[in-house]
Amino acid sequence: MAGVAGGNDFQWCFSQVKGAIDEDVAEDKTIKLWKIGERDKRAEGYNLKDEDGRLRDPFRITSLRVPVLMPMDLMVEASPRRVFANAHTYHINSISVNSDHQTYLSADDLRINLWHLEITDRSFNIVDIKPANMEELTEVITAAECHPNQCNVFVYSSSKGTIRLCDMRTAALCDRHTKFFEEPEDPSSRSFFSEIISSISDVKFSHSGRYMMTRDYLSVKVWDLNMENRPVETYQVHEYLRSKLCSLYENDCIFDKFECCWNGSDSAIMTGSYNNFFRMFDRNTRKDITLEASRESSKPRATLKPRKVSTGGKRKKDEISVDSLDFNKKILHTAWHPKENVIAVAATNNLYTFQDKIN
């Protein structure tokens, strides 16, 4: 993967979860807080139960023993700790933990709520765009995220391709934004699909807090928080699909919501595409690479090879024709480790983890 993430290849490997806390959004519009940990030892030699777990008769216990820890195969455990419910009418599209580590945001199509991690039965509504007459609704909220350093600042994106930055210090209900980010549309390129493909499916602050990244259907854009009129960087993810928007509309793929993520140093970004492809862009060299996550082409510790999509009639041996892409195989979710070159991509019902090649 020359030119991306330090110029090293990525290889298949297994990753371990280290005592993380995650939040899961259920179909019943509730939020669940999970504690994730790992265990590689088990206790043996209990006094009140046998090795198979059955309770012993206390009258038959004639001596006391000290349990000992014995090694076992590594096991990852996830246990639910809290359930936050009854605050959303529509499906939740975003969860973002605040930098104060005490509060978090949850967003659906029309509202954004602020929660305290220790309080499960109530939240504060900080954004509400629901009109009195639903026929007057012109846009919906598509994503929201807290600023990584300033706990009073958050952004949310809309289906119209706009981003609003809000400051919770100005008012309890942030109906009025502090900054409004929007790129003017080129009238010459407007089409029936313009409004659909301009809808923002994900927004992510950089780790430094200076920039934010947005993902629409065809591109990834990087914005400077100090410049609202246009993005400072634009990366085309799969521009070759522009000629196929009609068929993508007919099979509903045009409504797919792709996520995006930064690497730990904010020097590279990653997002998904179709055919189990995912794309990486180096912000310093402006080089990009396309990789594939599939069980057929990936063996343990095998180096991933760059993939290319051909749009013309003739194609090289290592290229795949745009007409041969499988739109049922898509990578919508991606994540990059905040400190190491370890990534995770979700392809259909499989989760793949890759790490920097170890010599």
Side-chain angles (χ1 to χ4, degrees):
M1 293 189 16
V4 178
N8 296 319
D9 290 337
F10 272 63
Q11 67 176 8
W12 167 265
C13 73
F14 293 101
S15 67
Q16 299 175 356
V17 181
K18 301 287 186 180
I21 294 180
D22 191 15
E23 283 166 6
D24 174 51
V25 180
E27 287 298 325
D28 56 357
K29 304 178 186 64
T30 63
I31 303 167
K32 297 179 182 179
L33 179 69
W34 297 77
K35 182 176 181 181
I36 303 174
E38 60 183 24
R39 197 153 51 96
D40 59 359
K41 293 181 176 63
R42 68 172 182 269
E44 292 185 358
Y46 286 104
N47 291 284
L48 299 180
K49 61 182 180 181
D50 295 324
E51 300 304 329
D52 58 2
R54 291 183 298 178
L55 292 177
R56 300 173 63 189
D57 186 352
F59 296 101
R60 295 184 179 181
I61 300 175
T62 58
S63 62
L64 295 178
R65 52 183 177 174
V66 179
V68 295
L69 294 177
M70 301 296 293
M72 59 176 286
D73 293 336
L74 181 68
M75 181 173 63
V76 177
E77 299 175 316
S79 55
R81 291 304 177 92
R82 296 184 183 90
V83 177
F84 305 84
N86 304 322
H88 286 280
T89 306
Y90 305 94
H91 288 292
I92 300 170
N93 57 50
S94 297
I95 296 288
S96 179
V97 180
N98 212 338
S99 59
D100 59 11
H101 302 297
Q102 296 182 351
T103 58
Y104 72 91
L105 298 179
S106 63
D108 62 25
D109 288 348
L110 300 178
R111 292 186 176 93
I112 300 177
N113 294 327
L114 178 67
W115 300 80
H116 194 285
L117 287 168
E118 301 296 331
I119 302 173
T120 61
D121 58 350
R122 64 184 182 274
S123 63
F124 295 97
N125 178 226
I126 57 175
V127 173
D128 189 346
I129 66 170
K130 183 178 181 180
N133 183 1
M134 285 296 287
E135 293 181 357
E136 299 175 358
L137 183 67
T138 59
E139 61 181 339
V140 296
I141 299 170
T142 56
E145 189 179 57
C146 298
H147 193 278
N149 305 321
Q150 303 174 31
C151 61
N152 54 287
V153 175
F154 69 95
V155 295
Y156 68 93
S157 58
S158 80
S159 57
K160 279 192 170 182
T162 61
I163 311 102
R164 292 171 172 85
L165 184 143
C166 302
D167 191 335
M168 287 185 281
R169 296 175 299 182
T170 58
L173 188 62
C174 300
D175 283 344
R176 296 184 179 180
H177 51 266
T178 304
K179 292 186 177 183
F180 184 79
F181 300 84
E182 182 179 23
E183 184 178 22
E185 183 183 8
D186 184 2
S188 62
S189 62
R190 182 168 180 79
S191 68
F192 171 79
F193 306 105
S194 295
E195 187 171 339
I196 300 176
I197 63 176
S198 65
S199 176
I200 296 174
S201 58
D202 196 19
V203 56
K204 290 286 195 314
F205 278 109
S206 63
H207 294 88
S208 66
R210 171 68 185 275
Y211 302 96
M212 66 178 175
M213 171 174 50
T214 59
R215 171 70 203 267
D216 55 45
Y217 189 68
L218 294 179
S219 64
V220 172
K221 298 174 182 177
V222 177
W223 302 77
D224 189 323
L225 295 187
N226 297 322
M227 188 167 68
E228 304 173 48
N229 60 337
R230 61 183 177 85
V232 293
E233 301 166 25
T234 300
Y235 302 94
Q236 301 300 330
V237 178
H238 38 217
E239 183 65 18
Y240 47 79
L241 295 181
R242 187 176 292 274
S243 61
K244 296 188 172 296
L245 293 179
C246 185
S247 59
L248 291 167
Y249 177 79
E250 292 175 351
N251 62 18
D252 287 339
C253 285
I254 200 170
F255 301 105
D256 287 335
K257 299 182 182 301
F258 294 93
E259 295 179 0
C260 53
C261 62
W262 302 83
N263 71 338
S265 61
D266 297 332
S267 61
I269 57 182
M270 176 175 61
T271 190
S273 182
Y274 293 105
N275 209 73
N276 280 357
F277 288 168
F278 59 97
R279 303 266 284 146
M280 290 181 171
F281 303 91
D282 190 304
R283 298 181 61 210
N284 298 322
T285 64
R286 293 304 179 101
K287 293 182 178 180
D288 61 87
I289 191 172
T290 302
L291 299 172
E292 181 182 6
S294 66
R295 302 179 66 176
E296 292 78 12
S297 61
S298 299
K299 296 180 180 180
R301 309 195 69 82
T303 301
L304 293 180
K305 296 181 179 180
R307 301 300 304 270
K308 291 184 179 180
V309 178
S310 172
T311 56
K314 294 183 179 180
R315 59 185 178 91
K316 299 180 181 179
K317 183 178 180 181
D318 58 343
E319 293 182 339
I320 180 173
S321 172
V322 65
D323 298 320
S324 302
L325 296 176
D326 189 345
F327 295 109
N328 293 319
K329 296 180 179 179
K330 60 193 77 173
I331 293 180
L332 302 179
H333 310 287
T334 58
W336 205 315
H337 193 284
K339 296 181 180 179
E340 302 175 12
N341 266 338
V342 177
I343 63 172
V345 295
T348 316
N349 59 344
N350 297 307
L351 177 66
Y352 297 89
T353 55
F354 303 92
Q355 74 172 23
D356 232 353
K357 185 176 181 179
I358 301 176
N359 294 325

